[in-house]
Amino acid sequence: MTTKKGVVKKTELSAYIHFKNRPIATINLDEGDTLQWVKKTTGKQDILLVTSAGMVIRFEESQVRAMGRASRGIRGIKIRPEDNLVSMDVVEPTEEKLAILIITKYGFGKNIRVNEFRCQNRGGIGVKSINFRKTLGDDHVQDAVIVSKDHEIMVVTESGTICRQQVSKISTQRRSSMGVKIIKLDDGDKIIAMKSIIQEEEEKDENALL
């Protein structure tokens, strides 16, 4: 699990097996922090964290020891006061084909191969993943997801617009580039969130509704 301020925590599932009928605390949060992401892992994967300033850190899950439910967790990434975490995901250490798809508040983005991000020690500032356009002074990374070329993405804007497109039509670029316009927004509109869609999972969901 990961918080908005970059605190990560790992707890074994066995810590929750006796509390099926009532809510329980799972993490102690610092004042002003919130729990944002929870993912099931194998214990041997790599963690990828992305901030709104475009900083990305990748570290081995083994650097985070398993803790009890009442603990706080430890620092996953060092975040500047004006920055926030926008994405957390996990990948296999040997993964070479997947990419991180990054999108900014104003609809710019790109695919970056995950192997461009080498493992670092947990708790560092990470590496820069995108350069922002100077003409858009307040642009920042709004979301990031792990994708493959056969995925699609669904993007939601502040005005309620939803856009769907294929990942394969979005260019793959290096970390130092500014990306391309992924979605054309109306004046005053902004990106809120992005979700990757796998065709097989979508078909299962549709069948479940029949």
Side-chain angles (χ1 to χ4, degrees):
M1 59 192 80
T2 307
T3 75
K4 193 75 172 178
K5 292 299 182 181
V7 173
V8 296
K9 179 181 175 182
K10 181 168 66 176
T11 302
E12 294 181 358
L13 289 176
S14 58
Y16 303 98
I17 61 175
H18 300 300
F19 302 89
K20 295 182 179 179
N21 298 320
R22 62 184 177 88
I24 56 174
T26 187
I27 186 173
N28 287 334
L29 293 168
D30 296 335
E31 184 177 353
D33 203 0
T34 57
L35 181 61
Q36 293 289 113
W37 301 272
V38 178
K39 290 186 180 290
K40 185 179 178 181
T41 68
T42 65
K44 299 179 180 180
Q45 293 171 296
D46 290 346
I47 310 298
L48 279 157
L49 306 178
V50 185
T51 78
S52 60
M55 303 305 293
V56 177
I57 192 169
R58 177 178 181 173
F59 58 88
E60 296 172 351
E61 184 187 343
S62 59
Q63 294 185 31
V64 184
R65 62 178 179 83
M67 305 177 188
R69 291 186 293 103
S71 60
R72 171 187 176 271
I74 54 180
R75 177 185 287 174
I77 184 171
K78 187 176 182 180
I79 301 179
R80 296 181 179 91
E82 68 277 8
D83 200 2
N84 280 299
L85 207 62
V86 298
S87 174
M88 172 266 190
D89 222 318
V90 295
V91 295
E92 296 297 331
T94 57
E95 181 56 60
E96 296 287 339
K97 295 182 180 180
L98 295 180
I100 303 177
L101 176 52
I102 288 177
I103 193 167
T104 73
K105 179 174 72 170
Y106 293 125
F108 291 91
K110 58 182 175 178
N111 287 307
I112 312 171
R113 292 185 179 89
V114 294
N115 58 16
E116 281 211 41
F117 301 96
R118 301 300 180 185
C119 281
Q120 301 176 257
N121 289 328
R122 172 194 58 78
I125 63 172
V127 295
K128 198 166 184 62
S129 64
I130 189 170
N131 284 321
F132 300 106
R133 286 164 169 78
K134 294 181 179 180
T135 54
L136 302 172
D138 63 340
D139 202 11
H140 61 256
V141 174
Q142 186 65 31
D143 209 345
V145 293
I146 300 294
V147 295
S148 71
K149 287 294 185 180
D150 58 349
H151 287 184
E152 294 183 347
I153 56 166
M154 191 87 77
V155 182
V156 182
T157 75
E158 193 175 70
S159 68
T161 301
I162 295 178
C163 177
R164 178 172 177 170
Q165 61 178 285
Q166 296 175 336
V167 171
S168 59
K169 294 186 177 179
I170 301 170
S171 63
T172 299
Q173 300 182 7
R174 304 301 296 268
R175 291 190 291 108
S176 58
S177 69
M178 292 188 293
V180 297
K181 189 73 170 179
I182 295 178
I183 294 176
K184 185 177 181 180
L185 299 173
D186 294 333
D187 291 342
D189 204 4
K190 302 166 188 174
I191 303 295
I192 290 180
M194 173 174 60
K195 171 71 174 178
S196 65
I197 304 170
I198 302 173
Q199 191 66 33
E200 293 81 0
E201 291 181 355
E202 184 181 32
E203 290 173 354
K204 289 179 182 179
D205 292 340
E206 290 176 349
N207 292 335
L209 295 174
L210 296 178

